[in-house]
Amino acid sequence: EDKVVQSPLSLVVHEGDTVTLNCSYEVTNFRSLLWYKQEKKAPTFLFMLTSSGIEKKSGRLSSILDKKELFSILNITATQTGDSAVYLCAVCGATNKLIFGTGTLLAVQP
Amino acid sequence: DTAVSQTPKYLVTQMGNDKSIKCEQNLGHDTMYWYKQDSKKFLKIMFSYNNKELIINETVPNRFSPKSPDKAHLNLHINSLELGDSAVYFCASSQGYAGNEQYFGPGTRLTVT
């Protein structure tokens, strides 16, 4: 069965810190891995990764995929209080369904 | 210019009632989805339609019936509501369905009393 495991479950940091969020997965016929940020409402799309070793970057956020070791990381540098959210990782395989992890709750303190 | 919209945002109803949630997207996407997010914030796919055809139908009670009148709309009707149906229901859309990025609506918080 396809599975996504995220770690840590929760994290508290101070503004300016750098954080790394982890996502490991098991999926049949991997198609893509996606990262979302969920604040109070809808998950908002961050990145989609399909190839190993190619970093995707958007401002202070970046992500990379390792298809051999079956994991991805999401990095956030110089964290701000506005980065506080649940970060969700999802993978898509042969079923064409997005399978979500339980998320990492990030709290950035001033 | 909301991309994916849902109505209503909140729904409080009693057990046994029937209710519907509506979703519309103006992104020109051909695939739409319903997800359920439970109290532990776990997000799980329920249904997916591609060009108005049902392509994903997870093991959900048949009290839940989706309907897609056209590519831009996907509705969810729930019969005989139960306490366990209380959750946030998200609609999403994408272009294609093979692992492409999905864009989510604001969610409908359903509370069954």
Side-chain angles (χ1 to χ4, degrees), chain B residues 96-110:
Chain B
Y97 52 84
N100 296 337
E101 60 260 41
Q102 296 178 17
Y103 295 89
F104 285 78
T108 295
R109 182 175 292 279
L110 171 65

Side-chain angles (χ1 to χ4, degrees), chain A residues 22-89:
Chain A
N22 304 294
C23 175
S24 63
Y25 63 88
E26 294 175 23
V27 68
T28 304
N29 293 338
F30 174 90
R31 291 186 187 273
S32 60
L33 183 145
L34 292 87
W35 284 98
Y36 285 84
K37 177 183 181 182
Q38 186 173 24
E39 296 173 86
K40 293 204 188 291
K41 293 192 175 179
T44 53
F45 172 74
L46 295 174
F47 299 111
M48 183 173 82
L49 302 151
T50 55
S51 301
S52 269
I54 298 174
E55 185 182 55
K56 294 265 180 116
K57 199 168 167 62
S58 176
R60 296 176 294 102
L61 277 66
S62 63
S63 183
I64 198 159
L65 173 67
D66 186 328
K67 286 164 73 172
K68 185 179 173 190
E69 300 297 329
L70 307 182
F71 77 91
S72 173
I73 58 172
L74 176 68
N75 278 323
I76 310 174
T77 59
T79 51
Q80 302 171 356
T81 54
D83 296 326
S84 297
V86 174
Y87 289 84
L88 296 167
C89 174

Side-chain angles (χ1 to χ4, degrees), chain B residues 35-52:
Chain B
Y35 285 86
K36 180 179 180 181
Q37 190 170 46
D38 60 25
S39 56
K40 294 184 180 177
K41 303 291 188 186
F42 186 60
L43 199 57
K44 194 169 191 305
I45 182 92
M46 299 174 69
F47 302 103
S48 176
Y49 274 76
N50 173 254
N51 285 316
K52 302 193 298 175

Side-chain angles (χ1 to χ4, degrees), chain B residues 4-69:
Chain B
V4 184
S5 59
Q6 292 178 230
T7 53
K9 288 199 171 122
Y10 300 95
L11 191 50
V12 181
T13 188
Q14 291 186 325
M15 280 174 57
N17 284 348
D18 303 339
K19 290 292 177 187
S20 291
I21 308 172
K22 296 189 175 185
C23 178
E24 177 180 0
Q25 54 95 4
N26 62 6
L27 295 167
H29 289 164
D30 61 3
T31 307
M32 296 184 73
Y33 309 82
W34 279 113
Y35 285 86
K36 180 179 180 181
Q37 190 170 46
D38 60 25
S39 56
K40 294 184 180 177
K41 303 291 188 186
F42 186 60
L43 199 57
K44 194 169 191 305
I45 182 92
M46 299 174 69
F47 302 103
S48 176
Y49 274 76
N50 173 254
N51 285 316
K52 302 193 298 175
E53 284 201 33
L54 183 66
I55 57 168
I56 294 174
N57 185 354
E58 285 297 275
T59 310
V60 298
N62 56 15
R63 299 181 294 105
F64 289 78
S65 51
K67 191 169 282 188
S68 181

